[in-house]
Amino acid sequence: MHTLYFISVALHILAATIWIGGIAFLVLVVVPWLRSGSRVAAGVFLRETGLRFRNVGWTCFGVLIVTGTFNLWYRGVRPWHFIDPAWLRSSFGSAIALKLAVFAAVLGISVIHDFSVGPRATRALEQDPTGPEAARLRRQASLLGRANALLALALLVIAVAIVRGWPR
């Protein structure tokens, strides 16, 4: 069973790395590069890369949910712990609860970004790249993407706290 747990933790870290690395690449490389060129080309490029990364990202979310659930179970966490005030006040319990809450926020923001605002923004950029609707939707998509990037970093910090404890 320990070997399965080891594999699950490795897959969990790999999925998180791919997801966070993809966000970092988009935010730090792709978006600034696109801002320097044609808005029409940017719309097409964002649509194509967005669709591909959306598939990668949601696959990573699936892996994170399955491996995260297994990892918690292996470490003795059961559903009733989440209604136990003493467990939730513990360093480990509070870190787990916080990580799950932040991950739920990431999933919510991702749904809005990936299936509503993002696709509408890329369509607007393709139809009228300098129009007010394209600018408004581009700003919304950018804010959602940045929020998810910050939450991804928060998840990383919380994950370290789960394993190593909170700094004192």
Side-chain angles (χ1 to χ4, degrees), residues 111-143:
V111 165
I112 294 165
H113 180 277
D114 294 355
F115 300 106
S116 178
V117 176
R120 288 185 310 156
T122 55
R123 277 194 303 275
L125 277 171
E126 289 173 5
Q127 293 169 356
D128 184 11
T130 59
E133 183 70 0
R136 183 182 68 79
L137 289 167
R138 193 179 78 246
R139 275 192 306 276
Q140 284 180 0
S142 177
L143 285 173

Side-chain angles (χ1 to χ4, degrees), residues 56-80:
V56 170
W58 284 96
T59 299
C60 287
F61 289 157
V63 170
L64 290 166
I65 289 167
V66 170
T67 58
T69 301
F70 176 79
N71 296 346
L72 287 175
W73 177 84
Y74 183 85
R75 293 186 68 180
V77 177
R78 300 297 182 259
W80 57 83

Side-chain angles (χ1 to χ4, degrees), residues 8-139:
S8 180
V9 170
L11 288 173
H12 196 80
I13 293 169
L14 179 62
T17 302
I18 291 169
W19 174 63
I20 293 171
I23 288 175
F25 182 73
L26 287 171
V27 170
L28 299 173
V29 177
V30 173
V31 172
W33 174 73
L34 288 175
R35 286 188 180 144
S36 67
S38 162
R39 293 221 187 259
V40 174
V44 172
F45 186 80
L46 278 175
R47 183 187 68 234
E48 294 299 317
T49 57
L51 287 173
R52 284 182 173 88
F53 185 66
R54 181 174 72 187
N55 293 335
V56 170
W58 284 96
T59 299
C60 287
F61 289 157
V63 170
L64 290 166
I65 289 167
V66 170
T67 58
T69 301
F70 176 79
N71 296 346
L72 287 175
W73 177 84
Y74 183 85
R75 293 186 68 180
V77 177
R78 300 297 182 259
W80 57 83
H81 286 121
F82 293 98
I83 58 170
D84 178 359
W87 185 82
L88 289 170
R89 280 192 304 272
S90 72
S91 178
F92 181 72
S94 64
I96 293 295
L98 181 59
K99 186 176 180 192
L100 292 176
V102 173
F103 187 69
V106 163
L107 290 176
I109 290 170
S110 294
V111 165
I112 294 165
H113 180 277
D114 294 355
F115 300 106
S116 178
V117 176
R120 288 185 310 156
T122 55
R123 277 194 303 275
L125 277 171
E126 289 173 5
Q127 293 169 356
D128 184 11
T130 59
E133 183 70 0
R136 183 182 68 79
L137 289 167
R138 193 179 78 246
R139 275 192 306 276

